[in-house]
Amino acid sequence: MSESSSHRPDPPRALTIRPLENEREFENCLALQRETWGEDCHELVPPTMLMVSQKVGGIAAGAFDQNGRLVGFVYGLTGLREGRPTHWSHMLAVTETLRGCGVGQQLKHYQREQLRRLGVEQIYWSYDPLVARNAHLNLNRLGASVVEYVQDMYGDNPDSKTDSVIGSDRLIVRWGLDGEPRPSPGIPVGLPSGALVTLDPVIPDAIAGGELADEPRVSIEIPPDIQELKGTRPDLARAWRVLTRRAFVHYLGRGYVVRGLERETSHWRCFYVLERHDR
């Protein structure tokens, strides 16, 4: 499980976060996109778009180490949603050797402060609900709120490094800028209480088609490292997608609220915790 590994990279001693400023930095950002999402990904943002978006309230900012090397970036566009100034945070990436040491969180807080100065009221972004590391950052560390589950949001792209095998389902989250960030207060460590939606690796199809209980609290299990599973057991990776898609659509459609992600590290297990809104 990469996020809860006993060995994590040390954070950079000096990290500078600022807007990307010149052609070399925009090109390095494109290279980091390729490193993250694959050489053949057709959704990469070119340097010219990164540059011009900054002129109309967009954010294209990088995290630079003490040697001036780009080690992470955040990118998004600003517009209106239901008449309110809104930012869509489209990309967040950190170089592989520094993932899990807080660079992404620092980039998001930088983005937040810049947008507050512009009068933006809310930030939205999407992430794959099966990626435990990103769920932990978005829900537990940043305190974003899940607002929607979208099936195959970016279509079927078999060449995508992140979406091949399992498709591009996403959770959309909202981060309000009307106060200080409110991270998840945390969920007691241990195996979850209430109804548990999980997958039996021996008979995944049978479990995925079973009844979903509408109890006050529900836990939806996800694998600790979906990318590793895609390489070793693609059949199980697809089964996890089918199961969790069905569960999220079912519970969010009935008014359940996602409270956070519980990581039961002694057994290398991860669970979304949902509660009925009327609790």
Side-chain angles (χ1 to χ4, degrees):
M1 178 179 179
S2 56
E3 177 68 18
S4 297
S5 171
S6 60
H7 174 72
R8 294 187 180 185
D10 293 327
R13 291 190 298 274
L15 194 65
T16 301
I17 299 179
R18 59 169 175 78
L20 302 175
E21 295 179 344
N22 54 55
E23 182 178 357
R24 178 179 60 83
E25 291 177 359
F26 290 122
E27 289 290 347
N28 288 341
C29 180
L30 181 60
L32 183 51
Q33 292 178 54
R34 292 193 176 108
E35 174 191 323
T36 304
W37 291 289
E39 289 284 344
D40 298 325
C41 179
H42 60 270
E43 301 296 337
L44 304 181
V45 180
T48 52
M49 185 59 67
L50 293 169
M51 182 269 292
V52 299
S53 65
Q54 294 177 327
K55 300 182 181 299
V56 288
I59 299 290
F64 298 85
D65 67 12
Q66 63 269 28
N67 298 316
R69 181 174 68 102
L70 181 71
V71 297
F73 81 95
V74 63
Y75 168 71
L77 299 170
T78 302
L80 295 175
R81 183 183 176 101
E82 299 176 350
R84 299 176 61 189
T86 300
H87 186 83
W88 184 273
S89 186
H90 183 52
M91 286 181 167
L92 174 70
V94 176
T95 190
E96 186 172 5
T97 57
L98 292 178
R99 290 171 193 164
C101 68
V103 177
Q105 187 172 352
Q106 291 182 59
L107 282 162
K108 294 299 291 186
H109 281 286
Y110 172 88
Q111 179 187 40
R112 178 188 179 92
E113 290 309 309
Q114 298 308 303
L115 292 170
R116 289 179 72 173
R117 294 173 184 173
L118 293 174
V120 173
E121 299 178 10
Q122 53 193 351
I123 306 176
Y124 288 83
W125 67 88
S126 67
Y127 76 96
D128 189 331
L130 290 182
V131 180
R133 175 172 55 200
N134 291 349
H136 177 62
L137 170 63
N138 295 329
L139 304 181
N140 297 347
R141 296 242 180 242
L142 298 177
S145 302
V146 172
V147 298
E148 187 179 358
Y149 187 98
V150 181
Q151 300 182 33
D152 277 326
M153 182 168 177
Y154 298 107
D156 182 18
N157 182 12
D159 295 326
S160 170
K161 185 176 178 180
T162 55
D163 296 331
S164 63
V165 179
I166 58 174
S168 60
D169 285 23
R170 296 291 188 268
L171 282 174
I172 295 178
V173 298
R174 176 186 178 274
W175 208 23
L177 304 187
D178 53 354
E180 292 305 311
R182 294 181 292 274
S184 168
I187 300 164
V189 174
L191 295 177
S193 60
L196 172 61
V197 179
T198 189
L199 187 69
D200 186 333
V202 179
I203 48 172
D205 292 338
I207 300 300
E211 183 178 354
L212 296 173
D214 290 336
E215 296 188 15
R217 171 173 281 200
V218 175
S219 297
I220 301 175
E221 186 167 13
I222 61 171
D225 191 335
I226 188 62
Q227 297 300 335
E228 179 183 8
L229 194 62
K230 281 166 53 179
T232 58
R233 288 290 305 275
D235 58 326
L236 276 186
R238 285 188 290 268
W240 276 112
R241 175 68 87 204
V242 171
L243 173 68
T244 55
R245 172 191 287 177
R246 178 168 171 261
F248 275 114
V249 170
H250 175 89
Y251 290 114
L252 294 179
R254 284 162 173 75
Y256 282 73
V257 175
V258 178
R259 296 301 185 191
L261 184 83
E262 165 61 21
R263 300 185 299 169
E264 208 291 303
T265 54
S266 63
H267 294 85
W268 305 108
R269 298 178 73 181
C270 300
F271 310 87
Y272 284 90
V273 177
L274 294 78
E275 293 180 344
R276 271 207 300 256
H277 187 58
D278 56 2
R279 288 199 66 187

